[in-house]
Amino acid sequence: MAAHRPRPSLYVSVDIEADGPIPGPYSMLSLGACVAGRQDAGGYEAADPEAATFYRELRPVSDAFVPEALAVSGLDRERLRAEGAEPAVALAEFAAWVREVSRGAQPVMCGYPASYDWTFLYWYLMRFTGESPFGHSGCLDMKTLYATKARLPLRAVAKRTMPRELLPGRRHTHHALDDAVEQAELFSNLMAWPGV
């Protein structure tokens, strides 16, 4: 009897910018994503993170915001009220994009750290589309991946503690697409790294 071969994973690097700590009371203002790479039984193959990308700026879902959180992204809430995409439209477009780029594979969201971005992304997907192309747990945290390979406690990990050769050559700009592309480079470096 032939052994079951799992479907490949298609890793999608996601970064979001938001105006507060949690979704619902606060808003996801921008969403950037790119294909980081693909993994099957033969191993991991990095993708060009600029080849398949997605970016939207969204209309806020509430009036509440934390000024310090808003300042990080530099996005203008008043402009987004007028010009931002309706969340239901943007998230439906995002889900369709994920399904398209992951055809034949299971999509996995990856982020650094994934917990914040995943919280907003999953809440928005469920609230505005009723489903997630990643399922309820298709999420990989790069910080945890590094901690495991480096044999370090998770709370001891920061990008500044990583070996220089793992760090991406791109700057972290707090623009969601720029940062998704930067994170994709980090992810591929981590996947290739044998660890300690």
Side-chain angles (χ1 to χ4, degrees):
M1 186 167 147
H4 171 71
R5 291 181 63 92
R7 286 176 64 202
S9 290
L10 191 285
Y11 295 99
V12 178
S13 175
V14 174
D15 186 76
I16 69 101
E17 297 297 329
D19 61 12
I22 57 172
Y26 302 102
S27 303
M28 177 167 69
L29 301 179
S30 64
L31 166 62
C34 68
V35 173
R38 183 182 175 100
Q39 184 180 27
D40 59 20
Y44 177 78
E45 183 178 341
D48 172 357
E50 296 178 335
T53 64
F54 181 92
Y55 180 73
R56 294 292 184 278
E57 293 181 353
L58 290 82
R59 186 168 294 158
V61 296
S62 77
D63 293 331
F65 68 96
V66 176
E68 296 81 4
L70 183 60
V72 169
S73 69
L75 290 167
D76 181 332
R77 280 179 53 90
E78 290 311 308
R79 180 183 65 79
L80 293 176
R81 280 187 194 288
E83 300 173 10
E86 285 293 339
V89 173
L91 273 294
E93 291 171 344
F94 175 70
W97 177 83
V98 171
R99 285 191 292 274
E100 175 67 26
V101 298
S102 65
R103 211 178 300 157
Q106 292 179 304
V108 177
M109 177 271 195
C110 58
Y112 186 100
S115 53
Y116 181 76
D117 303 271
W118 176 256
T119 299
F120 275 90
L121 180 64
Y122 187 72
W123 187 91
Y124 266 73
L125 284 164
M126 296 308 292
R127 170 69 179 82
F128 293 107
T129 73
E131 62 182 349
S132 166
F134 305 104
H136 68 276
S137 63
C139 170
L140 193 152
D141 177 42
M142 293 181 216
K143 192 171 182 176
T144 304
L145 177 61
Y146 174 74
T148 302
K149 286 188 163 196
R151 299 184 183 186
L152 290 171
L154 183 65
R155 301 293 277 180
V157 171
K159 285 183 185 175
R160 69 181 177 281
T161 67
M162 293 181 177
R164 185 173 295 279
E165 66 269 16
L166 292 179
L167 298 176
R170 295 170 169 89
R171 286 182 41 241
H172 193 79
T173 65
H174 293 289
H175 179 284
L177 182 55
D178 289 350
D179 291 353
V181 169
E182 178 217 17
Q183 289 176 172
E185 187 179 328
L186 174 63
F187 181 75
S188 291
N189 292 346
L190 285 169
M191 290 295 279
W193 185 52
V196 296

